[in-house]
Amino acid sequence: MEQRIEKIKKQLHSQSYKLTPQREATVRVLLEHEEDHLSAEDVYLLVKEKAPEIGLATVYRTLELLSELKVVDKINFGDGVSRYDLRKEGAEHFHHHLVCVECGSVEEIVEDLLTDVESQVEKDWGFQVKDHRLTFHGVCKKCQVETVKSS
Amino acid sequence: MEQRIEKIKKQLHSQSYKLTPQREATVRVLLEHEEDHLSAEDVYLLVKEKAPEIGLATVYRTLELLSELKVVDKINFGDGVSRYDLRKEGAEHFHHHLVCVECGSVEEIVEDLLTDVESQVEKDWGFQVKDHRLTFHGVCKKCQVETVKSS
DNA sequence: ATGATTGCAAAGTTTTTGCACTCTG
DNA sequence: CAGAGTGCAAAAACTTTGCAATCAT
């Protein structure tokens, strides 16, 4: 945890940004909820527990900044809100998501499944791929079981 | 064009919805701009040219309805707005997008590149895939050329 | 007539912005 | 002190909703 904060601090410094207490608190919340796909509001409420004086605008500004630095990725599952997801340690690409249409749960896939597909896109469309967003919509393991039960 | 409208009309009727003039005008705009990834506002302005009395709320309601019927897909490229994309004729899955980070252009890939990846997800994660969203971010052919020129 | 659909305006959400204040170096 | 960063409140941007009027069967 501390190491990852240290690393982010360096990333900020390298662009002459500071890791202020507010920014640090925000990053800590993200680290503690790495699997949770928090919205800006979610982050705000969680940060507020530790640092009640923080403003929502600061959270937005911080998330925006972290987004530029590629520390987090801003994602959107189609409900009205943006969600913010920490990049995995050393991950070069965005990870994938499995969104369950039954229960709304979101599972993460860290593996990069798209190496072959990316080569194909570069070859066949002449498009130089830098990153990707992949989300599958379907029925998660748990809900499949429950469907069987109830039928 | 007329055939596709006829088909959509049937889809609506099968769920006891009507193809009102407003809805038809909206569908026509979508058909005429199939490559354009229009926002609700875009659609509204274009429909207004032909049917000035239409309201923005109706456009939203129509797009919502078409979305439920899987006539269009609602997508989000990370700017604040939802965009609406007609499903291709006979396409079972959502098509993919190539978003250029230089010029912002959006290219479409109609082929389904994910058949293998989907099998893998079903096998390895026990997740029953129904649909997917795949967007590549990178540099399009045109901007690659221009980068070479200017360097 | 009855129920679906519409247009308008109002309200709701989420996000951004302006500005004075604070902090750090 | 200068510049970056902050909190607050106001504004903006996008979308949804309530309701009376309209339309189609």
Side-chain angles (χ1 to χ4, degrees):
Chain A
M1 171 102 170
E2 299 310 317
Q3 298 158 40
R4 292 187 69 184
I5 293 196
E6 204 50 43
K7 193 172 165 189
I8 291 164
K9 189 173 181 176
K10 279 182 193 144
Q11 281 183 267
L12 284 164
H13 285 170
S14 76
Q15 314 260 332
S16 15
Y17 294 117
K18 297 168 195 167
L19 183 64
T20 63
Q22 290 90 337
R23 287 178 183 164
E24 182 171 336
T26 305
V27 171
R28 281 184 189 278
V29 163
L30 291 171
L31 282 166
E32 288 162 10
H33 295 265
E34 230 176 322
E35 305 290 299
D36 286 359
H37 308 95
L38 303 173
S39 68
E41 182 90 29
D42 295 336
V43 173
Y44 171 62
L45 293 172
L46 288 164
V47 173
K48 225 168 175 1
E49 290 175 11
K50 302 176 181 176
E53 74 290 354
I54 200 170
L56 180 54
T58 301
V59 172
Y60 271 103
R61 286 186 281 230
T62 301
L63 292 170
E64 176 66 27
L65 180 58
L66 294 173
S67 211
E68 274 168 32
L69 294 178
K70 305 261 186 200
V71 171
V72 303
D73 286 300
K74 190 174 175 181
I75 47 177
N76 204 301
F77 291 131
D79 52 348
V81 276
S82 295
R83 297 174 180 281
Y84 298 84
D85 226 3
L86 272 178
R87 287 240 169 171
K88 301 306 176 202
E89 196 75 65
E92 201 170 308
H93 280 301
F94 196 67
H95 51 274
H96 318 306
H97 293 101
L98 305 178
V99 178
C100 179
V101 296
E102 301 286 334
C103 67
S105 71
V106 180
E107 203 177 336
E108 307 208 327
I109 297 189
V110 176
E111 280 90 318
D112 188 350
L113 308 172
L114 293 179
T115 323
D116 294 346
V117 177
E118 289 194 359
S119 323
Q120 193 182 342
V121 168
E122 306 222 342
K123 191 162 71 67
D124 294 355
W125 279 270
F127 185 88
Q128 182 192 340
V129 176
K130 299 235 170 171
D131 204 354
H132 52 243
R133 297 291 161 109
L134 173 59
T135 304
F136 289 105
H137 298 246
V139 184
C140 72
K141 206 180 272 183
K142 212 181 80 216
C143 289
Q144 286 174 43
V145 174
E146 281 168 22
T147 307
V148 173
K149 271 189 203 155
S150 69
S151 64
Chain B
M1 171 102 168
E2 299 311 318
Q3 298 159 40
R4 293 188 69 185
I5 292 196
E6 203 50 43
K7 193 171 164 188
I8 291 165
K9 189 173 182 174
K10 279 183 194 144
Q11 282 182 267
L12 284 164
H13 284 170
S14 75
Q15 315 259 332
S16 15
Y17 294 117
K18 297 168 194 167
L19 184 63
T20 63
Q22 290 91 334
R23 287 178 183 165
E24 181 170 337
T26 304
V27 171
R28 281 184 190 278
V29 162
L30 290 172
L31 283 165
E32 288 162 9
H33 295 264
E34 227 174 325
E35 306 290 299
D36 285 357
H37 308 95
L38 302 173
S39 68
E41 182 89 31
D42 295 337
V43 173
Y44 170 62
L45 293 173
L46 287 165
V47 172
K48 226 168 179 338
E49 289 175 11
K50 302 175 179 175
E53 74 291 353
I54 200 168
L56 179 54
T58 301
V59 172
Y60 271 103
R61 286 186 283 231
T62 301
L63 291 171
E64 175 65 29
L65 181 58
L66 294 173
S67 212
E68 274 169 34
L69 294 178
K70 305 260 185 199
V71 172
V72 303
D73 286 299
K74 191 173 175 181
I75 48 177
N76 205 301
F77 290 132
D79 53 347
V81 276
S82 295
R83 298 177 179 280
Y84 298 85
D85 226 4
L86 272 179
R87 287 242 168 169
K88 301 305 177 203
E89 195 74 67
E92 201 170 308
H93 280 300
F94 197 67
H95 52 274
H96 318 305
H97 293 102
L98 305 179
V99 179
C100 179
V101 295
E102 300 287 333
C103 68
S105 72
V106 179
E107 204 177 335
E108 308 208 327
I109 297 189
V110 175
E111 280 92 316
D112 189 350
L113 307 173
L114 292 178
T115 324
D116 294 346
V117 176
E118 289 195 358
S119 323
Q120 194 182 342
V121 168
E122 306 224 341
K123 190 162 72 66
D124 295 354
W125 280 269
F127 185 90
Q128 182 192 340
V129 176
K130 300 235 170 168
D131 204 355
H132 52 243
R133 298 289 161 111
L134 174 58
T135 303
F136 289 104
H137 298 246
V139 185
C140 72
K141 206 180 273 184
K142 212 180 80 217
C143 288
Q144 285 174 43
V145 174
E146 281 168 21
T147 307
V148 174
K149 271 190 205 158
S150 68
S151 65

